Amino acid sequence: ADGYYEYWMNECVYSTSDYSDMVLLVSYSFNKDVYVQFNSTVDKFVGLTVYGVKQAEYFNKDQAYLQQLKAQVDTVCRTNAQLSDSAVRDKT
């Protein structure tokens, strides 16, 4: 339909069973184009478009927000990965 579509997506990415390589990616998109992304391995936002660079500068000034996202690696990503993985392993 007509109009604009803006959304953000949080992804927890890992490949080891001890979750030592856990990474949180937070992507902000407008009409299916990602314009800014947070990566917990670099602990900051990176702009992917001209607008995204401005947004990254704005987000990176907010230390409380950056700390909140960094903490989500443990509080959200690892916790949910452990629950999901144990549910899958218990079924096999």
Side-chain angles (χ1 to χ4, degrees), residues 18-77:
D18 67 353
Y19 314 113
S20 61
D21 63 342
M22 183 71 69
V23 177
L24 172 66
L25 301 173
V26 180
S27 303
Y28 286 78
S29 301
F30 181 77
N31 286 353
K32 298 183 183 179
D33 293 323
V34 177
Y35 61 88
V36 67
Q37 186 174 59
F38 173 82
N39 183 323
S40 66
T41 59
V42 293
D43 292 334
K44 69 177 187 175
F45 281 89
V46 176
L48 304 173
T49 66
V50 173
Y51 175 68
V53 169
K54 292 178 183 178
Q55 287 298 108
E57 290 173 3
Y58 173 78
F59 286 139
N60 288 332
K61 290 178 184 176
D62 188 347
Q63 291 300 313
Y65 186 43
L66 293 176
Q67 290 300 321
Q68 177 186 359
L69 291 174
K70 187 176 178 180
Q72 286 184 10
V73 173
D74 289 321
T75 60
V76 176
C77 290

